């Protein structure tokens, strides 16, 4: 497969010179772990103490990793990316609010985005997080098959209704809906709910996509079993595939509670699991559609090669590539320029409320070996090309 990701002119075509400089400065900062730790603590403290730092956060990390504070705010970013063939998945990134009114608000937000997406070709896909719609511990308890109290049962019904309302509207509006995956100890209940939604709404085309975290060694078997059930019962599978974002937490918990870690023993094992799952899905593309969420160049090249080998058109609507806004533009924009379907998650929300998301991005870029240095090298190459 010919190498396409080195083209920095295409990768950064939307960045002005000053935005390029800001990105370079930002990734340089992020590459220093102590700076990330200090910056994170200082930002959290300043926001809690109501110090006037929102402007500073907005002009730096926020604007790099987020589309705006609300949907309308994101429109210029969405339109600009779509001009280059890259679609957007608006991601309401307010996390960790565990009360009913917030769960309803998150659902309303998602419904609004689906309606919004229905009107805009640039937003063919929407997304939500299970714990945005209900308490983490209730997912956990349900998944562990512990009996729920009468009150919890009513609470669970509300979660089911939120899932159903969103998936139903997605079906009506023909907007694909991705359901993110989280920690393994709450995921069983979310998986069951997603399967119910697929059974109900994926009857002719896949609308509902569950997320398969392939750092989990049991996920390919789970996918195959789900596929058997889907074929038997006549529904399609929507599969978002990722490696997984909670490795440290998973390992710590497994250690502390003395059970086998659900995570592959090595990075190589995760990569193999990812590749085999991709292969399985693409060979069954008539019944499984895929959204490949990765910043890994090799995974993208592999998917491109497999598509070519299996005679799957680059623009086949059953295969999408996805990256996060503010990261790996060299993958997103070069894939789009070469005719593939690409969408970027565009997080949005009030500055204060998306801080946990921003901190995760900063920490992830500090801990994922090679990823920040790769961003820096590409930005440097583009600065040189522009003679900045
Ligand atoms: C569009 C999009 C949507 C996403 N949605 C979700 C989601 O719903 N849920 C979720 O959990 N994550 C999600 N992620 C994050 C994703 O799971 C990864 O954390 C992130 O993309 C890094 O993986 P990679 O494939 O890009 O790159 P790589 O750099 O190739 O892989 C890094 C990943 O490999 C795995 N890994 C690293 N070291 C080891 C090791 N020693 N042993 C075993 N495995 C190892 C970890 O999963 C790590 O995150 C999403 C990412 C994208 C781009």
């Amino acid at each position: 497969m010919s190498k396409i990701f080195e083209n920095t002119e295409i990768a950064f075509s939307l960045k002005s010179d000053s935005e390029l400089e800001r990105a370079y400065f930002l990734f340089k900062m992020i590459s220093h772990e102590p700076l990330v730790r200090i910056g994170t603590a200082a930002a959290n403290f300043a926001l809690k103490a109501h110090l006037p730092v929102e402007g500073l956060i907005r002009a730096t990390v926020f604007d790099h990793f987020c589309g705006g504070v609300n949907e309308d705010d994101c429109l210029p970013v969405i339109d600009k990316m779509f001009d280059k063939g890259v679609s957007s998945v608006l991601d309401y990134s307010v996390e960790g609010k565990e009360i009913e009114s917030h769960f309803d608000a998150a659902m309303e937000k998602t419904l609004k985005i689906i309606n919004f997406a229905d009107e805009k070709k640039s937003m063919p896909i929407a997304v939500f997080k299970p714990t945005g719609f209900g308490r983490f511990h209730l997912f956990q308890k349900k998944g562990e098959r512990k009996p729920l109290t009468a009150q919890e049962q009513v609470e669970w019904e509300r979660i089911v209704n939120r899932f159903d309302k969103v998936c139903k509207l997605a079906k009506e509006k023909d907007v694909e809906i991705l359901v993110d995956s989280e920690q393994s100890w709450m995921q069983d209940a979310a998986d069951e709910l997603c399967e119910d939604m697929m059974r109900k709404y994926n009857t002719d085309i896949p609308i509902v996509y569950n997320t398969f975290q392939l750092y989990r060694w049991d996920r390919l078997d789970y996918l195959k079993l789900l596929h058997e059930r889907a074929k038997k019962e006549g529904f399609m599978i929507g599969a978002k595939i990722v490696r997984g974002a909670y490795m440290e937490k998973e390992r710590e918990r497994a250690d502390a509670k003395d059970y086998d870690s659900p995570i592959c023993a090595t990075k190589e094992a995760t990569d193999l699991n990812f590749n085999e799952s991709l292969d399985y899905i693409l060979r069954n593309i008539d019944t499984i559609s895929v959204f490949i969420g990765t910043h890994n160049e090799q995974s993208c090249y592999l998917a491109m090669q497999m598509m070519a080998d299996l005679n799957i058109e680059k623009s086949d609507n059953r295969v999408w590539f996805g990256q996060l806004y503010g990261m790996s533009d060299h993958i997103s924009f070069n894939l789009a320029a070469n005719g593939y379907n690409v969408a970027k998650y565009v997080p949005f929300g009030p500055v204060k409320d998306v801080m946990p998301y921003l901190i995760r991005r900063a920490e992830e870029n500090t801990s994922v070996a090679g990823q920040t240095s790769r961003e820096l090298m590409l930005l440097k190459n583009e600065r040189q090309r522009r003679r900045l």
Side-chain angles (χ1 to χ4, degrees):
M1 191 48 62
S2 66
K3 300 281 174 244
I4 61 168
F5 298 139
E6 278 91 14
N7 188 326
T8 58
E9 184 176 2
I10 291 178
F12 300 115
S13 54
L14 288 184
K15 290 222 182 304
S16 65
D17 288 353
S18 61
E19 283 167 342
L20 197 73
E21 293 292 80
R22 184 185 66 191
Y24 185 70
F25 170 74
L26 203 67
F27 278 103
K28 262 225 133 42
M29 300 257 295
I30 285 174
S31 64
H32 295 291
E33 202 181 332
L35 268 184
V36 171
R37 257 188 289 121
I38 296 164
T40 302
N44 274 335
F45 169 77
L47 284 169
K48 281 199 188 108
H50 301 288
L51 297 177
V53 289
E54 270 202 31
L56 179 66
I57 295 173
R58 183 131 205 206
T60 51
V61 260
F62 183 91
D63 277 351
H64 184 85
F65 289 113
C66 297
V69 293
N70 56 44
E71 305 85 329
D72 292 330
D73 213 15
C74 296
L75 281 177
V77 161
I78 293 171
D79 289 343
K80 271 200 318 189
M81 290 205 299
F82 197 56
D83 274 350
K84 303 286 177 194
V86 175
S87 298
S88 293
V89 184
L90 269 186
D91 180 17
Y92 182 56
S93 297
V94 174
E95 296 173 12
K97 308 256 183 188
E98 292 236 295
I99 52 172
E100 290 294 300
S101 60
H102 281 290
F103 298 143
D104 284 333
M107 178 195 68
E108 291 300 335
K109 233 351 160 206
T110 315
L111 293 172
K112 193 171 167 200
I113 291 169
I114 294 170
N115 278 315
F116 203 50
D118 175 45
E119 291 157 25
K120 289 193 76 80
K121 265 184 79 183
S122 49
M123 297 168 52
I125 305 169
V127 65
F128 72 91
K129 235 186 177 56
T131 58
F133 285 4
R135 273 192 309 122
F136 186 101
H137 287 102
L138 193 55
F139 276 99
Q140 181 177 350
K141 194 168 175 186
K142 181 83 183 158
E144 287 167 349
R145 315 243 173 266
K146 291 188 178 143
L148 303 187
T149 64
Q151 204 181 347
E152 284 170 339
Q153 189 54 44
V154 173
E155 195 184 334
W156 179 252
E157 290 307 320
R158 281 199 294 270
I159 296 179
V160 175
N161 284 337
R162 290 186 191 107
F163 265 66
D164 193 64
K165 240 175 145 169
V166 163
C167 295
K168 184 167 185 274
L169 185 68
K171 169 83 176 169
E172 274 167 30
K173 301 290 183 185
D174 198 16
V175 171
E176 283 155 350
I177 182 88
L178 310 176
V179 186
D180 281 349
S181 278
E182 305 175 68
Q183 288 89 333
S184 60
W185 58 100
M186 60 66 64
Q187 194 56 44
D188 285 352
D191 287 341
E192 280 170 26
L193 252 181
C194 278
E195 183 172 339
D196 287 346
M197 295 297 124
M198 286 192 207
R199 192 169 280 116
K200 198 162 169 188
Y201 297 113
N202 288 5
T203 42
D204 39 9
I205 51 165
I207 286 287
V208 181
Y209 284 60
N210 195 8
T211 301
F212 297 78
Q213 296 159 307
L214 298 164
Y215 63 5
R216 283 182 60 175
W217 46 261
D218 65 345
R219 291 295 86 178
L220 179 54
D221 285 342
Y222 168 65
L223 173 66
K224 287 179 179 171
L225 286 173
L226 177 66
H227 191 210
E228 286 311 311
R229 287 197 290 276
K231 281 191 291 189
K232 215 173 351 168
E233 296 176 40
F235 66 93
M236 318 272 272
I237 296 178
K240 184 178 93 181
I241 59 168
V242 299
R243 282 184 170 77
Y246 306 93
M247 183 175 76
E248 282 86 8
K249 276 192 197 162
E250 293 280 359
R251 287 197 166 139
E252 275 166 27
R253 187 174 191 268
D255 254 3
K257 295 192 177 280
D258 199 21
Y259 60 85
D260 282 346
S261 169
I263 307 301
C264 294
T266 61
K267 172 71 161 73
E268 290 67 33
T270 294
D271 290 344
L272 191 65
N273 204 30
F274 190 94
N275 296 348
E276 285 180 358
S277 304
L278 184 62
D279 182 72
Y280 181 82
I281 290 169
L282 291 177
R283 285 181 193 283
N284 288 285
I285 198 68
D286 287 336
T287 42
I288 314 179
S289 291
V290 66
F291 183 98
I292 308 165
T294 183
H295 296 143
N296 182 309
E297 290 176 13
Q298 292 318 315
S299 297
C300 295
Y301 281 129
L302 182 70
M304 290 155 68
Q305 185 64 55
M306 285 179 182
M307 286 170 75
D309 294 345
L310 294 163
N311 291 319
I312 300 172
E313 294 271 333
K314 290 177 178 180
S315 61
D316 191 311
N317 200 38
R318 297 169 297 182
V319 184
W320 280 79
F321 291 84
Q323 288 77 42
L324 306 181
Y325 183 70
M327 288 170 71
S328 298
D329 281 349
H330 68 300
I331 295 182
S332 315
F333 287 90
N334 281 304
L335 277 173
N338 281 274
Y340 294 92
N341 297 313
V342 187
K344 280 187 103 90
Y345 265 38
V346 179
F348 74 96
V351 175
K352 200 155 58 79
D353 296 335
V354 298
M355 275 313 282
Y357 175 86
L358 289 175
I359 290 167
R360 265 220 313 281
R361 288 293 76 82
E363 286 173 351
E364 180 182 289
N365 278 282
T366 309
S367 65
V368 177
Q371 210 163 97
T372 305
S373 53
R374 186 182 70 188
E375 292 281 356
L376 273 171
M377 188 197 64
L378 290 160
L379 287 161
K380 203 164 146 192
N381 290 350
E382 180 59 7
R383 283 167 94 220
Q384 271 165 6
R385 199 194 63 79
R386 293 190 197 180
R387 299 188 199 293
L388 294 178

